[in-house]
Amino acid sequence: MNKSIFYHAGCPVCVSAEQDIVSLIGEQNVEIVNIGEDKARISEAENAGVQSVPALVTPNGNALHINFGASISDVKG
Amino acid sequence: MNKSIFYHAGCPVCVSAEQDIVSLIGEQNVEIVNIGEDKARISEAENAGVQSVPALVTPNGNALHINFGASISDVKG
């Protein structure tokens, strides 16, 4: 199985969701990307359908938005 | 590890998210509850902090709201 990618922006909701996701699917199965720090990857997240963070993009390409921390436009600003 | 519980209400967003979650964390690790059909479990979901479906309640008790299908009040109605 390919890895999932978890996009976040360091917000408290994101950190809490990250811990849950890593615990559920296993650290080795998910890449964690902080688009607040790594802004070069914002467009990659947008292309994957991510509209807000935290979000998990599954190996088959679905974007699962988890709770709500920040919109992509907030992270860009 | 205790099981997670995935609450949904049969909506298209729910079904799509269910397939993703089962694929990610494994069918044996998650109980699927349709609160649209099993209304007796709505209060259980609410007590777990579920505000909308689809949602995943993790073994440590956190409610992760995934995308957005329907609010609990819609399911009650």
Side-chain angles (χ1 to χ4, degrees), chain A residues 43-64:
Chain A
S43 60
E44 168 197 304
E46 284 181 315
N47 288 338
V50 173
Q51 296 175 326
S52 62
V53 286
L56 185 74
V57 176
T58 67
N60 61 5
N62 288 344
L64 298 177

Side-chain angles (χ1 to χ4, degrees), chain A residues 1 4 16-17 20-21 23-25 56 58-60 62-67, chain B residues 1 4 16-17 20-21 23-25 56 58-60 62-67:
Chain A
M1 187 173 88
S4 300
S16 169
D20 288 327
I21 292 295
S23 166
L24 286 169
I25 71 178
L56 185 74
T58 67
N60 61 5
N62 288 344
L64 298 177
H65 298 91
I66 300 165
N67 292 344
Chain B
M1 189 173 86
S4 299
S16 170
D20 289 327
I21 292 294
S23 166
L24 286 170
I25 71 177
L56 184 74
T58 67
N60 61 5
N62 288 344
L64 298 177
H65 298 92
I66 300 164
N67 292 345

Side-chain angles (χ1 to χ4, degrees), chain A:
Chain A
M1 187 173 88
N2 291 323
K3 278 193 178 190
S4 300
I5 305 177
F6 181 84
Y7 293 100
H8 72 103
C11 53
V13 168
C14 296
V15 172
S16 169
E18 176 186 328
Q19 291 168 343
D20 288 327
I21 292 295
V22 166
S23 166
L24 286 169
I25 71 178
E27 195 171 5
Q28 73 281 11
N29 295 321
V30 58
E31 178 186 3
I32 310 289
V33 177
N34 183 338
I35 60 171
E37 293 176 347
D38 193 354
K39 299 208 176 203
R41 297 191 67 173
I42 290 179
S43 60
E44 168 197 304
E46 284 181 315
N47 288 338
V50 173
Q51 296 175 326
S52 62
V53 286
L56 185 74
V57 176
T58 67
N60 61 5
N62 288 344
L64 298 177
H65 298 91
I66 300 165
N67 292 344
F68 186 80
S71 69
I72 289 284
S73 59
D74 288 338
V75 178
K76 283 180 177 173

Side-chain angles (χ1 to χ4, degrees), chain B residues 12-47:
Chain B
V13 168
C14 295
V15 172
S16 170
E18 176 185 330
Q19 291 168 343
D20 289 327
I21 292 294
V22 166
S23 166
L24 286 170
I25 71 177
E27 195 171 5
Q28 72 281 11
N29 294 322
V30 58
E31 177 187 3
I32 311 289
V33 176
N34 184 337
I35 59 171
E37 293 175 347
D38 193 354
K39 301 210 177 204
R41 297 192 66 173
I42 290 179
S43 60
E44 169 197 304
E46 285 181 315
N47 288 338

